[in-house]
Amino acid sequence: SEMCIRDRLMSKSYRPPDYAGYRFPLKEGMLVCLEGALLVVMIGYFFYQSGLACVFLSPLFVIFVREKKKERAKRNRQELSVQFKDLVLALSANVKAGYSIENALRESCRDMELLYGKDSSICMEVKYMLRGLENHVVFEKLLYDLGMRSHVPDIMQFADVFLIARRSGGNLTEILEKTASVIEQKVETDKEIQLMISAKKMEQKIMNMVPFLIIFYISATSKGFFDVLYHNLVGVAVMTVCLFFYGAACLFSKRIVEIEV
């Protein structure tokens, strides 16, 4: 089973990650926490002008950090998908040159190091597979384990196709070439889409800041204009409703610019 594969290799320094989630390194985690705290303070000040409001708004900090983790995990999966495409291309070239799939993987590891560096996700995964082969774990199981952990449909589908081809004696060279071609087309299409909507993503981020800028500008130029909305029950209720619609608008705009192939 997949757990048995991992248990046999856990004694090594590399522990294969599950790409569904993400754990912040210390420096990045501190920066994200600072951003989350700043967001809570900004909302507490501009919507309520109260330090006590920040305490009640603290769940927003947890939601912000959770969303950042999801975004980083998604970016990791996208990067792994692109790197895996190049791995399949390298495997295809090496198998066509006459290598067995296991030796082709060893040769492909060098190519991945040149392309992405020794510490890249794909290099670490290939080295993990090579250790598995040294421990007499079959390549199909290692590939299937990567597919399960990656949560990338292309990798999972490739693992299934490769397993069937190996068992039925299919043409591995042709399968690798076709698979690499399909993944490459999908990656290129995704890149084109992301390039086209990159400007819209920037506009979305700017528009998210507009309410704060408007409140700041009016407060600075017209002292006391918003006093009626602060420190009274009706004002707090009105600003809470405004905050609800602002949050819904932010989520809706984020959904609009998230296009997946």
Side-chain angles (χ1 to χ4, degrees):
S1 67
E2 297 127 31
M3 290 303 296
C4 292
I5 295 172
R6 293 178 206 175
D7 290 342
R8 289 172 65 179
L9 303 178
M10 277 300 167
S11 58
K12 303 296 184 180
S13 58
Y14 177 70
R15 292 178 178 268
D18 188 325
Y19 293 88
Y22 181 75
R23 178 175 291 181
F24 289 117
L26 180 60
K27 188 175 180 180
E28 186 180 2
M30 291 176 64
L31 183 61
V32 169
C33 288
L34 183 62
E35 290 177 4
L38 181 61
L39 176 64
V40 171
V41 170
M42 285 177 61
I43 293 175
Y45 175 77
F46 285 107
F47 280 83
Y48 301 102
Q49 283 197 359
S50 169
L52 183 62
C54 295
V55 177
F56 293 98
L57 292 169
S58 55
L60 292 178
F61 173 82
V62 178
I63 295 172
F64 177 83
V65 173
R66 188 184 302 163
E67 288 300 312
K68 282 293 182 180
K69 283 186 176 181
K70 288 181 180 179
E71 289 177 9
R72 193 67 181 85
K74 181 181 177 181
R75 196 187 317 163
N76 280 355
R77 290 194 296 271
Q78 290 173 337
E79 290 174 358
L80 182 64
S81 179
V82 173
Q83 294 172 6
F84 184 78
K85 177 261 298 182
D86 291 322
L87 174 64
V88 175
L89 287 171
L91 280 172
S92 176
N94 288 322
V95 169
K96 189 181 289 186
Y99 289 98
S100 67
I101 191 66
E102 288 78 10
N103 290 329
L105 185 66
R106 292 185 177 90
E107 294 298 318
S108 299
C109 185
R110 300 188 183 96
D111 297 332
M112 295 303 100
E113 287 180 355
L114 292 173
L115 276 174
Y116 298 109
K118 293 183 178 181
D119 296 328
S120 62
S121 297
I122 196 65
C123 281
M124 300 303 290
E125 291 292 348
V126 172
K127 289 174 182 176
Y128 177 73
M129 288 183 186
L130 291 174
R131 281 203 301 272
L133 293 174
E134 291 171 1
N135 283 272
H136 308 292
V137 181
V138 295
F139 179 66
E140 293 92 316
K141 288 185 178 180
L142 293 166
L143 188 59
Y144 187 81
D145 179 62
L146 172 59
M148 291 292 290
R149 290 186 290 102
S150 69
H151 300 273
V152 177
D154 291 335
I155 300 177
M156 192 67 250
Q157 290 167 11
F158 175 74
D160 290 335
V161 171
F162 187 87
L163 177 61
I164 294 170
R166 250 340 240 285
R167 287 181 176 177
S168 61
N171 189 331
L172 287 180
T173 303
E174 186 179 350
I175 290 170
L176 287 170
E177 286 180 347
K178 287 184 177 179
T179 303
S181 176
V182 171
I183 295 175
E184 187 171 20
Q185 289 175 9
K186 188 173 179 180
V187 168
E188 290 302 320
T189 302
D190 185 59
K191 281 183 178 179
E192 289 177 8
I193 291 173
Q194 296 305 319
L195 184 62
M196 286 190 292
I197 66 174
S198 59
K200 297 300 179 182
K201 285 186 175 182
M202 181 58 67
E203 289 176 12
Q204 180 246 343
K205 291 179 180 179
I206 293 172
M207 290 301 296
N208 287 345
M209 294 300 298
V210 166
F212 295 102
L213 297 175
I214 291 174
I215 294 174
F216 175 76
Y217 175 76
I218 295 177
S219 298
T221 55
S222 303
K223 298 289 185 181
F225 185 83
F226 287 122
D227 286 353
V228 68
L229 294 175
Y230 298 126
H231 309 299
N232 64 82
L233 188 60
V234 176
V236 169
V238 170
M239 294 304 280
T240 300
V241 172
C242 292
L243 179 60
F244 173 79
F245 281 107
Y246 169 72
C250 288
L251 291 174
F252 185 65
S253 62
K254 185 179 178 182
R255 290 285 181 88
I256 290 175
V257 296
E258 283 186 352
I259 301 175
E260 295 186 6
V261 180

